């Protein structure tokens, strides 16, 4: 920014613009509740043509719900604001391609090679470090082992078509932290905005080691935030689609789709 610091945008696909409450599309999403992933395949929550229209694909102009962070030179967030807008997606970055280049060893060891978007990723990672420290909680379980699954359907084996490749993936990497922290700040900020406006939403709360869903903002002790409203995956999780309808109502200054004490919202929660 001209006076110092940065403006960082978190841009989320906005299918709630085109999927109306209690429409056939809404009923499909409410019945499925989430996308199901399995090796080589997935069963999507929304029809594929809807996903293709709203997904943030490279070199496309896409409608988005944006949260902007004004960030000082020491990476503290000084201000936030929201917009419904269209943006052009410059590129889609993939974990499997970036992990060999952008990881704890290359960053901390000073061996970070030159590659496209390196400086932008490094800036976002430094912001993520500050956000994580501010919460006082780790954003991912360092050392926890996860797995990626890939299927090559062009390979024929004695068991039939398709070869499954299973690769180990350590959690808590710089890329994991970068994505997780930006999603946490978005879900916390939008949840707080709805709470402060008196608009109900679906919150994920944690206290005394127990996790629950609620329509009233409550702390999530595991994440170290005062509230947490899932809002960043509306193409694959129904809770996020519901919350996005509420956020759009707030930003447009319209009555909320689900008013206080809404039975429909409690049905969605159940």
């Amino acid at each position: 920014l001209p006076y110092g610091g940065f403006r960082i945008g978190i841009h989320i696909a906005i299918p709630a613009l085109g999927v109306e409450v209690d429409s056939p599309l809404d009923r499909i999403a409410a019945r499925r509740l989430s996308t199901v992933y399995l090796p080589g395949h997935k069963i999507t929550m929304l029809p594929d043509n809807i996903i293709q229209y709203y997904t943030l694909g490279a070199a496309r102009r896409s409608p988005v719900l944006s949260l902007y962070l004004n960030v000082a030179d020491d990476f503290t967030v000084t201000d936030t604001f929201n917009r419904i807008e269209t943006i052009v997606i410059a590129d889609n970055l993939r974990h499997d391609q970036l992990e060999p280049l952008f990881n704890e060893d290359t960053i901390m060891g000073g061996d970070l090679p030159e590659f496209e978007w390196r400086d932008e990723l490094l800036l976002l990672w430094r912001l993520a470090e500050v956000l994580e420290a501010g919460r006082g909680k780790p954003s991912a379980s360092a050392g926890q082992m996860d797995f990626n699954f890939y299927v090559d359907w062009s390979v024929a084996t004695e068991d039939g078509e398709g070869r499954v490749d299973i690769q180990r993936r350590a959690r808590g990497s710089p890329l994991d932290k970068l994505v997780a922290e930006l999603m946490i700040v978005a879900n916390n900020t939008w949840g707080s905005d709805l709470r402060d406006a008196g608009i109900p939403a679906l919150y994920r709360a944690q206290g005394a080691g127990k996790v629950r869903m609620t329509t009233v903002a409550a702390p999530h002790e595991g994440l170290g935030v005062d509230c947490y409203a899932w809002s960043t995956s509306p193409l694959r999780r129904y809770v996020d689609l519901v919350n996005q309808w509420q956020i759009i109502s707030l930003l447009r200054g319209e009555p909320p789709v689900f008013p206080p004490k809404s039975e429909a919202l409690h049905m969605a929660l159940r």
Side-chain angles (χ1 to χ4, degrees):
L1 295 172
Y3 50 83
F6 310 93
R7 176 166 295 155
I8 293 173
I10 302 171
H11 309 287
I12 304 299
I14 190 165
L17 283 180
V19 179
E20 295 184 351
V21 177
D22 204 30
S23 66
L25 286 173
D26 176 23
R27 289 192 286 272
I28 290 172
R31 186 169 66 248
R32 296 184 178 184
L33 289 179
S34 72
T35 291
V36 177
Y37 296 90
L38 54 156
H41 188 57
K42 61 183 176 182
I43 304 166
T44 58
M45 181 183 75
L46 288 166
D48 188 61
N49 62 328
I50 301 298
I51 293 172
Q52 292 307 314
Y53 185 83
Y54 285 101
T55 194
L56 306 187
R60 289 178 54 183
R61 177 173 289 280
S62 300
V64 292
L65 172 62
S66 298
L67 168 64
Y68 285 95
L69 312 178
N70 287 340
V71 180
D73 286 326
D74 63 356
F75 294 97
T76 56
V77 178
T78 58
D79 188 25
T80 67
F81 62 94
N82 303 299
R83 282 182 184 159
I84 299 169
E85 59 185 350
T86 61
I87 62 169
V88 176
I89 308 299
D91 203 355
N92 293 144
L93 308 185
R94 308 294 181 188
H95 274 258
D96 58 334
Q97 297 170 8
L98 287 173
E99 289 277 9
L101 305 172
F102 192 83
N103 56 62
E104 196 163 355
D105 291 337
T106 58
I107 294 172
M108 306 307 291
D111 299 324
L112 197 61
E114 290 284 347
F115 60 91
E116 193 173 16
W117 311 115
R118 184 194 75 162
D119 293 344
E120 289 84 353
L121 286 173
L122 194 58
L123 184 146
L124 292 176
W125 175 74
R126 287 172 175 156
L127 170 64
E129 290 271 272
V130 173
L131 292 172
E132 181 186 59
R135 292 187 302 106
K137 303 281 185 178
S139 59
S141 300
Q144 176 182 330
M145 191 56 62
D146 234 343
F147 298 90
N148 288 330
F149 300 84
Y150 305 94
V151 180
D152 186 348
W153 292 108
S154 67
V155 176
T157 73
E158 59 184 17
D159 298 312
E161 290 184 4
R163 175 182 173 84
V164 179
D165 183 24
I166 304 174
Q167 298 179 4
R168 297 176 65 180
R169 177 170 176 257
R171 302 292 293 180
S173 69
L175 285 175
D176 274 345
K177 180 183 294 189
L178 185 160
V179 174
E181 288 299 332
L182 293 178
M183 296 306 98
I184 290 170
V185 76
N187 289 324
N188 173 236
T189 301
W190 284 329
S192 301
D193 289 346
L194 291 170
R195 176 200 62 202
D196 295 345
I199 297 175
L202 297 178
Y203 292 91
R204 190 168 175 84
Q206 185 188 46
K210 295 182 179 180
V211 179
R212 60 190 175 91
M213 299 298 293
T214 172
T215 60
V216 178
H220 192 299
E221 293 178 357
L223 293 176
V225 293
D226 59 350
C227 67
Y228 191 74
W230 268 341
S231 311
T232 53
S233 296
L235 286 172
R236 66 177 182 89
R237 199 163 49 198
Y238 189 64
V239 169
D240 303 56
L241 183 63
V242 169
N243 284 338
Q244 193 171 82
W245 279 316
Q246 299 294 79
I247 296 167
I248 291 173
S249 298
L250 171 64
L251 298 188
R252 287 178 167 175
E254 299 172 350
V257 174
F258 303 101
K261 300 181 180 180
S262 164
E263 182 59 29
L265 187 64
H266 282 277
M267 287 178 63
L269 180 143
R270 288 194 296 268

